[in-house]
Amino acid sequence: MNIVLFGPPGAGKGTQAEIICGRLNIPSISTGAVLREAIKNSTPTGLLAKGYMDKGDLVPDSVVTAIIKERLTKPDCAGGYILDGFPRTLPQAKYLEEMGITIDVVLSLEVSDEEIIERLSQRRLCEDCGAPYSLKYGPPKDTSRCDKCGGRLVARQDDMPEVVASRLKTYHSQTEVLIDYYREIGILKTIKGQKEIKDTTSLVFKALGIT
Ligand code: AP5
């Protein structure tokens, strides 16, 4: 099954993607995570992307489509995958079609801007393995260390309030249009984001027809 996890920044795409891929045993592909890794390694793509990401803007379509094209040819994608944060523009959605890719379902996570601002102020990531935590909703045992690998927990660069505001603006002006696009195609399923991660997961599993 090829799944798109769609939604505003901080809606819980990465959190749910990790849970679904554990359940269905398919890989999750996050363009944001690939770009952050490129920044960490100071690759040409990373150096280019950083300027956009620090401001809360979208990275150019040509850059992210190249990432997706390369990743989807890997053998682990043969049995299906989750796209977390791709597509985010109409040209990106069209690009998937041009590649001959069939998306089975688009899960659109709905969370209000107010809730997102609150969530992202509480988010921490492991510097080493990238595991996400919420200091409020899913806290680690030690607020400064990763439960999984003991790495240091840090706030994401683009979770500063002014960047979050810009990311939300970008979402509403450039990405939200895809909701109507996928609704018209008939593959959109809307999930109301819940206060508890496990409650959102129940709705996601129901939408996917799994238990
Ligand atoms: P990306 O890394 O994809 O960021 P994003 O879409 O802004 O989403 P986030 O990762 O911030 O949030 P999420 O929805 O995964 O939520 P999470 O599960 O972490 O992209 C970063 C940047 O890269 C973009 O701004 C852009 O510049 C660039 N980029 C990436 N893809 C691109 C593309 N296709 N085209 C162009 N540019 C691109 O949850 C957030 C927090 O909430 C966590 O702390 C979590 O624990 C908590 N939480 C989750 N669910 C719940 C719940 N139900 N209740 C309470 N708390 C919850």
Side-chain angles (χ1 to χ4, degrees):
M1 183 158 31
N2 298 336
I3 303 166
V4 166
L5 266 177
F6 184 85
K13 302 183 293 295
T15 303
Q16 296 302 325
E18 197 183 316
I19 298 169
I20 302 167
C21 67
R23 174 68 179 74
L24 295 181
N25 205 19
I26 53 175
S28 167
I29 300 159
S30 158
T31 36
V34 173
L35 291 167
R36 274 187 293 282
E37 189 62 20
I39 292 173
K40 202 168 144 190
N41 296 326
S42 300
T43 68
T45 297
L47 295 174
L48 172 76
K50 187 170 170 20
Y52 294 95
M53 291 169 76
D54 283 352
K55 283 188 280 179
D57 292 338
L58 293 180
V59 173
D61 289 338
S62 58
V63 175
V64 285
T65 52
I67 289 172
I68 286 294
K69 185 178 177 196
E70 203 245 312
R71 182 64 184 87
L72 292 185
T73 58
K74 298 263 161 73
D76 65 338
C77 290
Y81 43 80
I82 302 164
L83 295 178
D84 163 6
F86 186 96
R88 277 183 213 229
T89 63
L90 218 38
Q92 290 178 21
K94 302 258 189 210
Y95 183 80
L96 284 177
E97 286 168 24
E98 283 157 22
M99 278 178 77
I101 289 186
T102 305
I103 299 298
D104 299 296
V105 61
V106 176
L107 299 178
S108 174
L109 298 178
E110 284 187 345
V111 179
S112 71
D113 286 9
E114 294 70 28
E115 175 74 21
I116 282 164
I117 290 163
E118 163 71 7
R119 280 187 191 183
L120 293 184
S121 71
Q122 303 290 327
R123 174 163 63 183
R124 298 293 181 273
L125 289 183
C126 173
E127 222 173 24
D128 295 337
C129 74
Y133 295 92
S134 167
L135 296 182
K136 188 169 171 186
Y137 300 107
K141 290 186 199 101
D142 170 347
T143 52
S144 62
R145 291 282 158 196
C146 176
D147 285 349
K148 293 179 183 163
C149 75
R152 202 164 65 100
L153 297 183
V154 292
R156 235 167 75 172
Q157 192 73 24
D158 59 354
D159 280 349
M160 285 183 298
E162 62 276 19
V163 187
V164 170
S166 166
R167 287 162 66 200
L168 281 169
K169 204 168 153 201
T170 302
Y171 172 78
H172 292 305
S173 63
Q174 295 184 55
T175 305
E176 210 166 29
V177 63
L178 290 177
I179 292 178
D180 283 343
Y181 180 76
Y182 283 120
R183 184 178 288 121
E184 271 167 36
I185 295 176
I187 55 171
L188 185 86
K189 294 198 178 179
T190 302
I191 313 281
K192 247 206 155 12
Q194 304 294 306
K195 289 272 174 220
E196 297 277 341
I197 292 170
K198 64 174 174 37
D199 294 335
T200 303
T201 303
S202 298
L203 296 178
V204 165
F205 278 15
K206 197 172 163 202
L208 292 174
I210 55 179
T211 48

